[in-house]
Amino acid sequence: MLTLTEAETEKLADAIKSTLYERFKDAFVFDPIVIRTKTDYYGDDYLHIYIIYEGDRANLDSKWTLGLIGRIEPTLDELGIPGVPSKSFVPKFEWKEMPAGVM
């Protein structure tokens, strides 16, 4: 099973936040970054990254965000995370309403 320690999770979340703020400056607030281990249809584990944000979604440059995982690849490699994590950008108001079982 794919598991991350608390320190590894924090390091990955910090790398994601840093990369996002480098691009978007103060146009958004990205908090929290939630990282969960999921299992796919074939029984393989992978990471899913929930990026909770406040700000105008119209300013969330999708061409740039598509490459986010590639931008944090050095951190993923350093932590020994196999495969390619998936990600979701979730507006904070929607996150507060999500049932716990969905994450």
Side-chain angles (χ1 to χ4, degrees), residues 74-100:
T75 303
L76 295 169
D77 290 345
E78 182 182 329
L79 294 172
I81 296 171
V84 178
S86 58
K87 68 183 179 323
S88 300
F89 283 84
V90 182
K92 192 160 206 152
F93 72 89
E94 286 183 16
W95 181 254
K96 291 177 181 179
E97 297 172 3
M98 288 181 82

Side-chain angles (χ1 to χ4, degrees), residues 9-82:
T9 301
E10 187 174 317
K11 182 174 185 149
L12 181 54
D14 287 347
I16 294 165
K17 275 187 181 182
S18 173
T19 303
L20 289 165
Y21 282 118
E22 185 177 300
R23 165 61 177 84
F24 294 105
K25 310 287 186 248
D26 59 355
F28 291 90
V29 173
F30 298 103
D31 189 57
I33 306 292
V34 179
I35 301 166
R36 297 280 190 254
T37 300
K38 301 276 194 166
T39 304
D40 68 15
Y41 179 77
Y42 301 101
D44 298 322
D45 290 342
Y46 67 97
L47 290 183
H48 188 89
I49 302 165
Y50 295 94
I51 302 165
I52 295 47
Y53 71 92
E54 291 181 87
D56 184 351
R57 183 168 186 92
N59 295 325
L60 196 58
D61 180 0
S62 61
K63 289 180 184 177
W64 188 90
T65 59
L66 284 172
L68 177 62
I69 298 302
R71 290 180 179 86
I72 62 166
E73 191 169 0
T75 303
L76 295 169
D77 290 345
E78 182 182 329
L79 294 172
I81 296 171

